[in-house]
Amino acid sequence: MTKEEQLQRLVDSGIVAVIRTKDGDELVSICEALVKGGVVGCEITMTSPGAIEAISKAARVLQGRAIIGAGSVLDPETARMAMLAGAEFIVSPVLNKEVIALCKRYGKIVIPGAFTPTEILTAWECGADVVKVFPATKLGPSFLKDVRGPLPQVRLTPTGGVDLENLGDFLKAGAVFVGVGSALVNKKMILEKDWTALAGLASDYVRAVQAARCN
């Protein structure tokens, strides 16, 4: 699958799950449950123990069924490690031009973080495939709508505080997809290893995306 095809799958699905956990052994099981529920984009954050090993295993186990990425990437060295492990997309909470350049060099999807219109445009002009608006809860859906007025060419994805209640508002405001963390990657379900319930919650999010895009 080409980079463009992978990016289109993320856009079509409407959701990237942001997976952050204290137990690295759970990462692959979490990804499998989310994929079973229909969420194909799984962002394993580098702040999780064993993230590189989990990315490698998830990429092998879920090949063809999911698109595995690395999140909380702050520098090009970490980005390269993640890509060598099998990450197909790199997400950062900040704008690091060297990370963008590295991802472009190796043909990987790069999603840097930005907070202001100036940062958003800078990230886009540096070659970002999608710009992550973070933290989205501080700005809200109206911010995306306002930014897309003068910058309609920029693909935006909000992350931080996105849940079932506001997901539709962000998509209608122009987000190409949303990043969802703890509201989807439910701590209680993970603690109890209730992968069936987690898959069901993922299905709820997939249906919410479909409903928002139909209205």
Side-chain angles (χ1 to χ4, degrees), residues 1-10 67 88 109:
M1 190 180 298
T2 66
K3 169 186 167 179
E4 289 71 26
E5 290 171 335
Q6 290 172 337
L7 181 56
Q8 191 59 52
R9 279 192 72 187
L10 295 179
I67 302 172
E88 296 294 348
I109 298 166

Side-chain angles (χ1 to χ4, degrees), residues 59-154:
R60 292 195 310 271
V61 172
L62 297 169
Q63 186 175 19
R65 292 188 288 145
I67 302 172
I68 305 299
S72 301
V73 176
L74 303 179
D75 53 68
E77 293 80 11
T78 303
R80 188 171 186 276
M81 287 173 57
M83 288 188 288
L84 289 174
E88 296 294 348
F89 65 95
I90 301 295
V91 184
S92 177
V94 296
L95 169 55
N96 184 308
K97 296 179 182 180
E98 293 179 351
V99 170
I100 296 174
L102 183 78
C103 292
K104 285 175 64 65
R105 185 178 306 136
Y106 291 101
K108 300 298 181 181
I109 298 166
V110 60
I111 307 172
F115 190 72
T116 67
T118 298
E119 287 183 341
I120 290 170
L121 182 58
T122 300
W124 186 255
E125 290 178 338
C126 286
D129 295 291
V130 183
V131 180
K132 169 181 168 178
V133 178
F134 175 80
T137 42
K138 299 296 183 182
L139 300 169
S142 61
F143 177 79
L144 269 71
K145 183 178 180 181
D146 291 343
V147 167
R148 282 185 51 78
L151 302 175
Q153 75 278 23
V154 180

Side-chain angles (χ1 to χ4, degrees), residues 31-43:
C31 290
E32 290 180 311
L34 293 170
V35 171
K36 187 175 181 180
V39 175
V40 299
C42 296
E43 173 191 331

Side-chain angles (χ1 to χ4, degrees), residues 131-184:
V131 180
K132 169 181 168 178
V133 178
F134 175 80
T137 42
K138 299 296 183 182
L139 300 169
S142 61
F143 177 79
L144 269 71
K145 183 178 180 181
D146 291 343
V147 167
R148 282 185 51 78
L151 302 175
Q153 75 278 23
V154 180
R155 291 187 290 258
L156 300 175
T157 177
T159 304
V162 180
D163 56 26
L164 281 173
E165 296 299 318
N166 60 26
L167 176 153
D169 293 333
F170 277 112
L171 291 173
K172 292 174 183 177
V176 292
F177 54 80
V178 296
V180 188
S182 58
L184 170 56

Side-chain angles (χ1 to χ4, degrees), residues 13-15 163-175 178 204-215:
S13 70
I15 304 169
D163 56 26
L164 281 173
E165 296 299 318
N166 60 26
L167 176 153
D169 293 333
F170 277 112
L171 291 173
K172 292 174 183 177
V178 296
D204 291 341
Y205 273 85
V206 171
R207 285 193 292 270
V209 169
Q210 294 169 345
R213 287 177 169 171
C214 287
N215 294 330

Side-chain angles (χ1 to χ4, degrees), residues 8-30:
Q8 191 59 52
R9 279 192 72 187
L10 295 179
V11 172
D12 290 344
S13 70
I15 304 169
V16 168
V18 183
I19 305 167
R20 181 177 286 107
T21 177
K22 295 180 179 179
D23 186 349
D25 293 336
E26 298 171 340
L27 288 168
V28 176
S29 296
I30 293 169

